[in-house]
Amino acid sequence: MKPFLQLAVGVLTLLVLISCASEEIPPLPTITDTEEEAGVVRGSYSWEDGDRATTTNAPSPDILVSDQKELVVQPGETIYVTFPEAPLEQKLGIWKYGSGSFQTSIDGSYEAPKEPGEYNYGLFSTWDEGTAIFAWKIIVAEER
């Protein structure tokens, strides 16, 4: 009887570990120009995967990116937003001092501002499984 009990405990432990490891979260995008990649942070999200649902809350995008690697681009340069699994919808916004809004719909890329400066971006993305906010920072410079 003892070997059966040990086997049952082992199988149950394995099932618990597998179920914890399979928790899904929204995929991170890759933010690039033609040469470099920005550091991206996953912000607040609400995600449902089968019988599991997770909701998180995070600070605004400008606060999330304070320690992230920025992407240095030229004015008007194209910036590409690539996901492993494409969202159904994406809305982009610029954030400063804790405020901003998601106004511009994008489909995989956007143009950097024409004015030099530091810009904190937030992206609100929607999938069948839920929604998520992502943040990154770009610096628009006349020269790299």
Side-chain angles (χ1 to χ4, degrees):
M1 181 73 166
K2 188 174 181 180
F4 176 75
L5 183 60
Q6 288 176 331
L7 178 63
V9 169
V11 168
L12 285 174
T13 302
L14 183 61
L15 288 174
V16 168
L17 290 174
I18 289 172
S19 90
C20 290
S22 68
E23 181 178 342
E24 293 285 330
I25 57 176
L28 274 176
T30 301
I31 311 299
T32 60
D33 62 1
T34 55
E35 300 173 18
E36 300 291 324
E37 188 172 318
V40 181
V41 180
R42 184 182 298 107
S44 300
Y45 66 88
S46 181
W47 200 256
E48 188 176 330
D49 180 32
D51 294 339
R52 301 167 82 97
T54 304
T55 299
T56 65
N57 196 11
S60 65
D62 58 325
I63 295 170
L64 286 173
V65 298
S66 61
D67 295 333
Q68 292 300 306
K69 177 187 176 219
E70 67 274 347
L71 180 63
V72 179
V73 299
Q74 294 178 342
E77 186 173 346
T78 300
I79 299 171
Y80 300 95
V81 180
T82 309
F83 282 92
E85 177 188 337
L88 302 171
E89 181 180 27
Q90 301 177 70
K91 289 196 178 258
L92 186 68
I94 295 175
W95 292 72
K96 240 183 188 173
Y97 310 117
S99 67
S101 62
F102 302 105
Q103 297 178 357
T104 307
S105 291
I106 66 168
D107 189 21
S109 68
Y110 69 96
E111 278 191 16
K114 305 265 188 246
E115 293 295 316
E118 183 177 298
Y119 296 87
N120 301 308
Y121 279 92
L123 181 69
F124 182 82
S125 301
T126 303
W127 291 266
D128 288 334
E129 295 90 342
T131 60
I133 295 172
F134 304 95
W136 65 91
K137 181 190 317 184
I138 69 167
I139 294 177
V140 175
E142 292 293 332
E143 297 179 21
R144 287 190 189 208

